[in-house]
Amino acid sequence: MSSAAVDAAVLYAHVLTSTGHPEAGLAWAMWARPRHGRGPDDPVAVRTLGVLAASLHATGRLRAAAAHYRELAVVLAGLDGPDAPRTLAARADLAVMLHASGDCDTAHAELAAIVQAQQAGMGHVTDFAMVKLLTRQARMYRDCADARAAECFLEAVALARAVGLAEQVRAVAARAPCDRHRRICTHRRPRPAGRPPAPSQHPTSTDEAGSGWQVNAHIAADGCPLRHRPDSGGRVASRTTPPADHCGGR
C-alpha cells in the first residue's frame, strides 16, 4: 500500500468527519490506521490516530475515543513534551470523552490540571484557546451541578472581553445543563456535615448508560450526546465507502 494512498485516506476521513459524515470518516480512518507502515511517532501515524479518535467521538463511541485520545496524548508527550500545546489539547479531548461517558470526577481532575498548566504558561496558550478551555471546564461543572461552574464562567467572560468573545461565552453560560448527562453523572459533590447521603439516582452498570446507549450518537457542541441522525437518503453515498477489507475493524 503506497503512503500517498494512506495519506489521502486520512485526509478524506478528516473531511468526512468534519462535514457531517462521521461513520464514513470512521471507516476510512480505520482502514488507514494499520496501513501507514510507519512508527507511532511518524507525523502521518499521529495524524491518523487523531482523526480516528475524532471520528469515534463524532459517532458516539465515547470509550473507544477516550482510549485513542489517551494513546494520542502519550505519543504527543513523547514528541512535543507533556505540557506542549498538542499534548494538552489531546488531554482536554480525553477529558471531554471521560465526562461524556460518566467518568466525571476523573474528567474534572484532568481538565483542571490542564487549565492549571495553561495558566502557568506551560502550554503557551493564546487567550482565545484559554477562553475555550475555561468555557469547556465550566460546562462540565454545570452539567454535573457543581457550584464551581459559576466561577469558571466568570473567569472565562473576563478573559473573553480581551478577544471579543464575551457575548458568546455569556450565551453558553445561559444554557440549561445537559439533561442526558444527569442520567450518567457520577460526580460526587460535597454535602453539608451531618447530613446523610441521598439515595443514588445514577444508573448502575446494568442500566442503558452502562450498556452502550451512547453508541451511534453524535456529541453536540455542549458535549451532550444526541441520537444519530442519518443523511436525507438514510445512508452515505457509495463513493465514501473504503475498500471492503476495512470491515474487520468494525
Side-chain angles (χ1 to χ4, degrees):
M1 182 62 61
S2 71
S3 59
V6 175
D7 291 353
V10 174
L11 177 60
Y12 196 31
H14 171 71
V15 171
L16 288 167
T17 300
S18 61
T19 56
H21 303 286
E23 290 285 356
L26 176 59
W28 278 101
M30 292 180 70
W31 179 85
R33 179 81 195 279
R35 290 174 172 78
H36 58 73
R38 305 166 187 177
D41 58 350
D42 181 86
V44 175
V46 174
R47 188 160 57 248
T48 303
L49 182 57
V51 171
L52 178 56
S55 300
L56 288 164
H57 174 192
T59 56
R61 295 166 171 86
L62 305 181
R63 296 191 185 280
H68 284 80
Y69 278 125
R70 184 178 286 108
E71 182 182 351
L72 179 62
V74 170
V75 171
L76 291 173
L79 289 172
D80 301 349
D83 297 314
R86 291 200 302 170
T87 306
L88 294 179
R91 288 176 57 194
D93 287 330
L94 169 60
V96 170
M97 295 301 96
L98 293 172
H99 181 259
S101 301
D103 192 358
C104 303
D105 289 334
T106 304
H108 292 176
E110 180 73 5
L111 203 56
I114 296 167
V115 170
Q116 185 177 8
Q118 298 283 39
Q119 289 174 330
M122 296 177 183
H124 308 290
V125 69
T126 64
D127 285 348
F128 177 85
M130 194 66 201
V131 168
K132 181 179 179 181
L133 186 60
L134 287 169
T135 304
R136 177 179 282 185
Q137 184 182 35
R139 290 201 315 258
M140 273 193 190
Y141 286 145
R142 178 190 60 196
D143 289 346
C144 291
D146 190 308
R148 289 175 290 183
E151 181 181 350
C152 285
F153 273 127
L154 287 174
E155 189 175 356
V157 169
L159 185 58
R161 292 193 184 102
V163 291
L165 295 174
E167 290 305 316
Q168 289 91 326
V169 175
R170 289 193 186 98
V172 173
R175 296 175 188 169
C178 177
D179 185 63
R180 289 181 179 87
H181 183 75
R182 182 171 53 85
R183 295 187 294 172
I184 63 170
C185 182
T186 58
H187 178 44
R188 297 183 179 181
R189 292 171 289 278
R191 56 186 173 84
R195 179 178 297 179
S200 175
Q201 297 180 355
H202 303 312
T204 66
S205 60
T206 57
D207 293 330
E208 65 166 354
S211 58
W213 68 273
Q214 307 98 321
V215 174
N216 292 330
H218 286 307
I219 306 300
D222 61 356
C224 185
L226 300 175
R227 294 294 182 190
H228 175 63
R229 290 171 292 185
D231 296 335
S232 58
R235 63 183 185 279
V236 178
S238 59
R239 65 178 180 275
T240 64
T241 305
D245 62 349
H246 84 280
C247 297
R250 293 296 297 277

